[in-house]
Structures are given as structure tokens and as C-alpha cells.
Amino acid sequence: MNALPFLSRLNLSPPPLATTTNAATASLPLPFPSQLHLLTPLRTSTFSPNATLESRQAAAPPAEQEFSDYDEEETYGEVSRIIGSRALESGRAMEYLIEWKDEHAPTWVPSDYIAKDVVAEYETPWWTAAKKADADALKQLIDSGDGRDVDAVDSDGRTALLFVSGLGSEQCVQLLAEAGADVNHRDNSGGLTALHMAAGYVRPGVAKVLIEYGADVEVADDRGRTPLQLAREILKSTPQLQFARRLGLESVVRALEGAAYEFAEVEEILERRGKGENVEYLVRWKDGGENEWVKAGFVAEDLVADFEAGLEYAVAEGVLDRREGEGGKMEYLVKWADIEEATWEPQENVDPDLIKVFDEGTSTQQLGSIGA
């Protein structure tokens, strides 16, 4: 078997980009919020690729084309063009679908086996658009049908969505999300998601858009911080004199809190702290989650009213019976965990889940009697 010609000697048509452009492609990292505060502003690319978008408009592979994976033992001819890309499952590298000038079937080839100028010809427009948050350029590339993976990763496992989120482009975030980008992708240099970027770079609008498209507010980075925890840490370390920054961070926190507590139910308020708009309550969750301090606006008004009125809570174990009370209102006989005697309670004081269990049990008993 003939030795495989290393792909560094193969070129695309038109000619590859200049060496300076290739270097720029790999040396434009976005400074991520690895600390509690950001020390440097965002940097965006400044180079101008020679290749035009039009040169890739017809790059999509035929719908019924057969592809093969790269085989080190096989001999390949000269590259015609890249017609597709995909990120490896590890998120640490890319593969490219190579169309050959001979009749060999298009082949998925690891990026390490392809010349840097060949890859740059294909990738430079994408990363340029991402690092400039250029929505028009991104849309043109997405619509071009060139087989591009919208979750393509750089050397640190970062996707275009992470860059545009840090840059604050709601339009680009929406564009990429609608194109199928993974809104919960974690990079390899800190485990940061797009929501972490929105929190770290104080982008409340982006945070809201990401949440609308299903971003998980509970995903933690490599230091165990959720986007909400990151935003709170940055807010805590931001001087009071930086009013605009603090207002932006508070807006991010509110957006993330709203998503974090939207589907969680409070079982009991344990304590209160703060004054005015800063009032928070230490709550116990019904799902058994760890007790947590929550802003007053995210706790049910009736629970707050009861707590402020000094009413105490008891833990119900189940419903034993029901009856029609005064005015036709339903009442339930509740068995308590810490009270020996069961008591009759109006429906609004009884956990709906306990009522549902009781009703289902009653229905089953009635069906059993009919069957007997």
C-alpha cells in the first residue's frame, strides 16, 4: 500500500490565505470571565480574509453522496475543496469533509492531517463573523449550505455562540440558536457556557434570549458556579460607584433568578434578611433542594404574607378524608407529621399534590367496589 501523502502539500482553488491571516485565525481568543471580575475588554478580529463568501456558495455536497472516514492505510489524491465540517464529541477538535480531485469518495479527515491554510480558507470567514458579531455575515454563511457545523469549535472548545454572547449580540445569538447551535455547550478552558458569558460580560439581553431558547441556568462551570452564581459574585466585587455596571449585573441576576425559580415551589419560608428592594427570604423547596436565599419578588405573595404575619407551618403527611364545609367549600382532613391529631383544613391550605393522591386513591377504591 502506498504511503499517504500528507495533506499539507495540497491546496484549494482559489489560492490559500496568506500566512499572517492563518496565524490570526488561531490567535484571537476571547478573554473569558475566569475570575470574579473582568480585567480586559473584549477583543475582536481585525484581519480581512482574501477569500470571498461567494467562493463557497456551491460547496454543499450532493444529497445522496456517499462519505467515508479517513483511513491512514489508504492513498488519497489532491484536495478539491472542503465541503463540510463537524466538531468531535469531545469538543476539542474538528473534522472536515474533503472532496478530492479524483473519483475518491468524499472523506472525513481530522483537522491535524489537513494543511492550516486549507482549513483557514474554509474557517476564517466564520470566526471573523463570530468575533465581530457580524449577523449579516453569519447568516450568509449559515444560508450558504456549505456543510458547516454551527457548533464548530476553536482550540479551546469555544463555539461562535459563546463569542457572540460575550459580545452582547442578541441578533447573532438568536440567529445561531435558530440554526441549531447548542445553547448549553461548555468550553474546554473553564467549562463556561453562553449563559456564563452573558453573566460575565454583563449582557442581560443576551441572557434573556438564551433562556428563551432553552439554555439551562443550572449548568455549572469547572469551578462549580452556575451563571447566576457567577453574576452574583461579580456584582459583589463591583464597586458601588460603578453604577451602570451594577445595574446591568442586577438585570442579569433578575433574568437568571426568574428562570432558576420559575418551576420550583417553595414549601416554607424560614428566615428574612435585608430591607426595601433587597429583602430576601431563606426558603425550603418542595423538591428537597438545598435551602436558599431568594429575592422577595420570586416568592409567592401568600407565603410572604403568612410569614410576615407570624403564621407557623406544619408538614402534612397526607389527606385522610374530605367533606363539604360552610358555603359549599371543600375541606380535607389532614394528617400532620409533627401533630398527633388530624385537622380539617380548607382546600387552599392543603397541598394540591396531596389532594390529587387522595382523589386518585378514592377513585380506585370505588372502581374496586363496582368490580366486586
Side-chain angles (χ1 to χ4, degrees), residues 35-170:
Q35 304 300 323
L36 298 185
H37 57 283
L38 304 179
L39 301 179
T40 58
L42 290 171
R43 297 196 302 272
T44 57
S45 66
T46 57
F47 58 89
S48 299
N50 298 324
T52 61
L53 296 179
E54 288 77 8
S55 66
R56 284 171 295 278
Q57 294 302 310
E64 298 181 358
Q65 183 89 42
E66 292 186 359
F67 308 138
S68 63
D69 289 330
Y70 170 73
D71 184 353
E72 292 187 11
E73 300 297 325
E74 190 168 350
T75 300
Y76 295 84
E78 190 174 354
V79 171
S80 171
R81 58 181 176 175
I82 294 179
I83 58 174
S85 67
R86 65 186 182 189
L88 300 182
E89 290 186 7
S90 64
R92 295 181 181 275
M94 295 288 296
E95 287 185 330
Y96 296 94
L97 187 59
I98 300 296
E99 180 182 77
W100 308 97
K101 288 187 176 181
D102 58 18
E103 296 182 356
H104 196 289
T107 310
W108 284 105
V109 180
S111 58
D112 288 346
Y113 289 92
I114 307 174
K116 294 185 183 299
D117 57 342
V118 174
V119 174
E121 172 71 17
Y122 182 81
E123 290 286 18
T124 294
W126 178 256
W127 292 112
T128 300
K131 293 171 184 179
K132 288 185 176 181
D134 186 337
D136 290 337
L138 281 175
K139 186 177 189 311
Q140 189 173 0
L141 285 165
I142 291 171
D143 294 343
S144 70
D146 63 355
R148 187 178 303 277
D149 186 353
V150 294
D151 284 323
V153 296
D154 67 3
S155 59
D156 291 311
R158 297 172 295 195
T159 64
L161 184 62
L162 269 70
F163 281 98
V164 300
S165 295
L167 291 167
S169 175
E170 297 170 35

Side-chain angles (χ1 to χ4, degrees), residues 165-183:
S165 295
L167 291 167
S169 175
E170 297 170 35
Q171 184 180 4
C172 287
V173 169
Q174 182 174 351
L175 181 66
L176 289 166
E178 290 181 349
D182 181 2
V183 294

